[in-house]
Amino acid sequence: MARRKIVAGNWKMNKTPSEAVALVEELKPLVASDDVDVVFCVPAIDIIPVAEAVKGTNIAVGAENMYFEEKGAYTGEISPAMLVDAGVKYVVLGHSERREYFAETNETVNKKVLKAFEHGITPIMCCGESLEQREQGVTMDFIRQQVKVGLQNVTAEQAKTMVIAYEPIWAIGTGKTATTEQAQEVCAGIRACIAEVYDDATAEAIRIQYGGSVNAATAPELFAQADIDGGLVGGAALKPDFGKIVNYK
């Protein structure tokens, strides 16, 4: 059975609550689709107004981060229970910007993935290599480590429901996009890694997105690849063109 495509917008640190609602109203008719799962991953302060604004549509709300404790003295963090109560269905975990700027590790990402599953939130677990790592020829070694550690103690049944987002760090926000062949090669390698960790059935079920300067022009060819099941979209998710990415056919 063909995997259903999933296109998620990662808004990053953009849009005030009022701006977020205005953008949702603009995008709602443009991202309507019966064939693709659509997710808006928005800043924490925007979650509640956006969740209200997307009611009755095909849009699900995602968070951009989450802490791995239930509650307590963790100033500035947000718990999974808070996200669930606010209407969140997905959470982006381990984005390269979180790893680079906020010292997230494969181990903390794994803790967050496990906690998300405990609360019924679907993790979108990110992985990706730097330009230096690609030039050194260690892309798959690095990504396999991110995937294997990130999935520690995650069951096969859980893994089948999650999303992995491959984002080459050198293509995020730079305007550079991995070639279709490069993107497909790594996503196929991730799927092979999942088969090693679990089995072929789990590898076939898991959805793998490509991210990194995805736009309306590049989406159709990327999403047509055998192992690419949609995109995690950055800057283009804040524009009307996001509708063209969702309805890429």
Side-chain angles (χ1 to χ4, degrees):
M1 193 172 76
R3 292 178 296 272
R4 184 176 168 87
K5 292 285 192 280
I6 176 167
V7 178
N10 177 19
W11 290 18
K12 308 192 180 185
M13 196 176 74
N14 291 295
K15 301 299 177 183
T16 65
S18 58
E19 290 170 343
V21 171
L23 179 59
V24 168
E25 294 302 330
E26 182 181 14
L27 291 178
K28 276 197 292 194
L30 304 178
V31 302
S33 172
D34 295 327
D35 303 320
V36 177
D37 288 339
V38 180
V39 188
F40 289 176
C41 299
V42 304
I45 198 168
D46 296 343
I47 288 171
I48 290 175
V50 167
E52 186 64 30
V54 302
K55 279 183 179 174
T57 74
N58 62 309
I59 302 164
V61 179
E64 296 180 15
N65 186 34
M66 180 197 83
Y67 200 50
F68 52 74
E69 297 289 354
E70 295 289 342
K71 58 184 175 182
Y74 305 103
T75 300
E77 291 292 342
I78 294 177
S79 76
M82 293 173 183
L83 295 181
V84 170
D85 194 59
V88 165
K89 304 295 183 189
Y90 294 83
V91 60
V92 177
L93 298 174
H95 192 280
S96 62
E97 290 158 1
R98 298 290 317 170
R99 295 175 190 260
E100 180 180 358
Y101 304 139
F102 305 103
E104 291 202 5
T105 65
N106 293 336
E107 290 74 20
T108 57
V109 171
N110 174 240
K111 289 182 179 182
K112 292 181 179 187
V113 167
L114 293 170
K115 187 58 70 172
F117 277 123
E118 276 184 39
H119 287 264
I121 304 172
T122 300
I124 300 175
M125 188 180 81
C126 300
C127 59
E129 83 284 11
S130 66
L131 185 59
E132 183 182 27
Q133 288 160 337
R134 175 162 282 275
E135 290 174 344
Q136 290 169 343
V138 298
T139 292
M140 281 316 305
D141 301 296
F142 183 73
I143 288 173
R144 283 166 61 85
Q145 183 178 25
Q146 287 183 314
V147 170
K148 286 190 172 186
V149 177
L151 293 176
Q152 287 284 307
N153 299 313
V154 174
T155 69
E157 289 309 305
Q158 288 173 326
K160 287 175 183 176
T161 68
M162 70 182 293
V163 179
I164 294 179
Y166 165 55
E167 293 197 308
I169 297 168
W170 48 272
I172 297 174
T174 61
K176 295 179 183 178
T177 308
T179 66
T180 302
E181 292 73 23
Q182 287 172 325
Q184 163 59 21
E185 180 183 24
V186 175
C187 289
I190 292 169
R191 203 173 300 284
C193 181
I194 299 297
E196 287 176 29
V197 174
Y198 300 103
D199 50 41
D200 288 343
T202 305
E204 279 302 308
I206 200 164
R207 294 191 287 181
I208 302 173
Q209 297 175 314
Y210 171 74
S213 300
V214 175
N215 57 47
T218 59
E221 188 177 342
L222 284 165
F223 296 175
Q225 301 308 301
D227 292 292
I228 299 178
D229 305 311
L232 183 60
V233 183
L238 301 170
K239 303 171 185 173
D241 263 14
F242 189 57
K244 296 178 183 174
I245 297 173
V246 169
N247 294 290
Y248 60 95
K249 293 179 182 176

